[in-house]
Amino acid sequence: MEFGPYLLLACLEGAVLAAVLALMASGLSLVFGVMRVVNVAHGEFYMLGAVMAWVVTSVLGGGAVINFVAALILAPLIVGALAVLADVTILKRLNYDPERTIVATIGLLYIIQQLALMGYGPEARPVEPPFNTRIALPWVEWGEGGISLYFPWGLSTTSYKLFVIAAAVVLLAALRLFMTRSRAGLIMRATQLDGEMATAFGIPVERVYALVFGAGAALAALAGVLIVPIQQAHYLMGGDALLLSFIVVIIGGLGSLAGTVVAAVLIGMSDGIISVFFTPTLAKIIATLLVALVLVFRPQGLFGVRER
Amino acid sequence: MLKIEGLSAGYGAAPVLRGVNLRAEAGEITVLMGRNGAGKTTLMKAIMGLVRAEAGDIDLDGADLAQLPPHMVPRQGVGYVPQGRRLFADLSVAQNIEVGLGAGPKDAASRRAVRAEVLELFPRLQERMGQRAGTLSGGEQQMLATARALCVRPKLLLLDEPTEGLQPSMIEAIRQVMVAMRDKGLAVLLVEQRIDAVLGLADRVSVIEMGRNAENFSRAELTEPENARRLRGHLGV
């Protein structure tokens, strides 16, 4: 295959990763932005989403589409509820202290991971995609008769991968609308800007924190459900996803949703392209190097606001 | 209206207020004075539940505010204009007002009425509804902070140094709003450092020193030169 079609394929793979990463990192960014909690267990909520998707599809035993839709609804709800429980029983008791909550979420990471190992096992298990039609992609060539389209061998994607990209775009647009247009979003933003003043105007800040922690986990779980037909569910899958999410929110600016999405596209696309043309390891090295550069030259991230 | 008895409060192991008593009546402006660090802002925060009361009662028309969760305090009819305004800087003027209305009346019609009433008091805000609060001038920010507090439809209005750093025309505008609120029957509790701003405005003045009550003056008492001199003595001016 020529370079051009190869690049298109790499971009598509990168876009799928960017879509999933943007969803997951948005949850991490939301939690940090509103609560100032660095949730080290965020990757485990992603893993739980994937595992729950497998559990739901296995238990239901219906058609692939019904199973998947059920997983898409139930897994984020279950994982979100578990996160709310974790918030009320652990983080609230620590008064959301930034340092102590880091240690607490590290503990939560190991608890969730080991419980998943005990209950789900060490195997990687697939979830059947609701649809998976292979779609051949066209490319252009300049011949004697001018520009013409042709279908190079091997240049294809699946309908499910395109669905993942579209679903992430719709969900992120909905999240943005929710944050900027709804009363609940206004309450979250007011809490993010000044929790004490939010309390002084009748906002139950601890309840907002619990819901935000749950919503952040639900977003990670949604990402987990979307990726599991492509990657399979495994109890250790949260580690890499967490690292990439941290890279994305640091580059985008902690707490900035717009920055998170831009950084996810940047990291996802570069990961996809570099992985296809070179190696996945090189992609991770470059992403980590990018974080180091951002931390040195723009510590608040591309879209973050410098703390006064 | 507001009756505080034996209030002790502070931050962690450091007590700031030590058995403070205070009263604020409806239709009166009560001014709280004291030197820096005397505990005036801590007292305001304790009334709002933002600093927990370790001992004592904060009674507002029969409701013990000290026993309520902090977010329930504004719902009892307490509006708060904090020191330094503390607006939600990245939110627009309209959104800041919307946050204030959240602790105000429940039904949409009453909310609309309160919003219109508040904007009538501060017409300049009407022209800035879409502007980010952080980009307003100091005087406009103070107007918005006061408007946000009035959205709660308070019976007790707390203002912590509302004229700090403002130009004279703005100080006069804020002063007129305070007088209008008093005339409407609200209890106004004002923290103020400048004696000249207080004389002629206060119905009573309560001085605290090192977290304890030092002396109280009525409006009539403040007209006597000796009392005015004693008040200046408490403030070290």
Side-chain angles (χ1 to χ4, degrees), chain A residues 85 98 134 179 195 201 230 296:
Chain A
L85 189 68
R134 188 149 290 279
M179 290 302 286
F201 286 92
I230 299 171
V296 170

Side-chain angles (χ1 to χ4, degrees), chain A residues 201, chain B residues 80-82 84-87 92-94 96-97 100 115 117-129 133 136-151 157 159 161-178 181:
Chain A
F201 286 92
Chain B
Y80 181 40
V81 182
R85 298 149 203 151
R86 291 182 64 179
L87 296 169
S92 67
V93 170
N96 269 274
I97 286 174
R115 186 187 157 101
E117 220 171 275
V118 164
L119 289 174
E120 201 177 311
L121 273 173
F122 301 103
R124 201 185 293 191
L125 294 179
Q126 186 84 62
E127 301 156 20
R128 305 256 192 280
M129 293 303 271
L136 297 174
S137 71
E140 288 166 346
Q141 287 194 10
Q142 191 59 55
M143 285 179 184
L144 180 54
T146 311
R148 183 179 63 174
L150 292 176
C151 285
L157 181 62
L159 299 112
E161 299 201 36
T163 58
E164 191 183 24
L166 297 186
Q167 61 189 47
S169 63
M170 283 295 172
I171 292 175
E172 186 49 37
I174 298 294
R175 190 185 161 98
Q176 280 175 14
V177 169
M178 283 190 280
M181 291 303 116

Side-chain angles (χ1 to χ4, degrees), chain A residues 183 190 194 196 199-202, chain B residues 45 71 74-75 86 102-103 148:
Chain A
R183 170 133 193 97
D194 191 335
E196 193 176 68
T199 305
F201 286 92
Chain B
K45 286 189 168 189
H71 72 273
R75 293 180 197 281
R86 291 182 64 179
R148 183 179 63 174

Side-chain angles (χ1 to χ4, degrees), chain B residues 36-76:
Chain B
N36 284 338
K40 306 181 295 293
T41 295
T42 304
L43 179 54
M44 295 294 227
K45 286 189 168 189
I47 296 169
M48 291 306 299
L50 302 175
V51 172
R52 293 312 289 172
E54 279 144 29
D57 299 319
I58 307 171
D59 184 284
L60 180 69
D61 284 343
D64 187 358
L65 301 186
Q67 300 303 318
L68 292 175
H71 72 273
M72 291 303 290
V73 173
R75 293 180 197 281
Q76 302 301 311

